[in-house]
Amino acid sequence: VCNGGGCLHEVYLESGGRHRLVFTTRARDVRLTNDGDVIGIEVSHGASKKFFRWNGRSFGPAGTVRNGS
C-alpha cells in the first residue's frame, strides 16, 4: 500500500506458531541487515536513511544518515 508518504512496510516475528508485529513504517525502501550478529533495518526516506537495531523485543532507533554527508 503506497501513497505520497511512501509504501507501508511491516516486519513480523514468528515464534511458537504465532506472529507478532515488531516494526512498521512508511518509506521508499526498507532493507534488513545483519552487521556482526546485530540484526537491523535500514529505512530509506528520499535524501536520508534511518537505521533501527533489534533489541530482543523490537527494532529501536540507531541513527540517521543524510545522503551526501
Side-chain angles (χ1 to χ4, degrees), residues 31-42:
R31 187 173 72 105
L32 294 173
T33 63
N34 185 354
D35 185 20
D37 295 334
V38 177
I39 298 170
I41 296 178
E42 177 184 300

Side-chain angles (χ1 to χ4, degrees), residues 23 25-27 29-31 33 40-53 60-67:
F23 185 80
T25 190
R26 283 201 172 272
D29 190 34
V30 172
R31 187 173 72 105
T33 63
I41 296 178
E42 177 184 300
V43 178
S44 297
H45 288 285
S48 67
K49 291 183 182 180
K50 292 184 180 180
F51 297 89
F52 299 84
R53 183 173 299 158
T64 301
V65 175
R66 290 218 164 269
N67 293 344

Side-chain angles (χ1 to χ4, degrees), residues 9-24:
H9 297 269
E10 296 181 334
V11 177
Y12 289 83
L13 173 72
E14 187 273 327
S15 179
R18 301 183 77 170
H19 294 83
R20 178 172 63 92
L21 180 65
V22 294
F23 185 80
T24 185

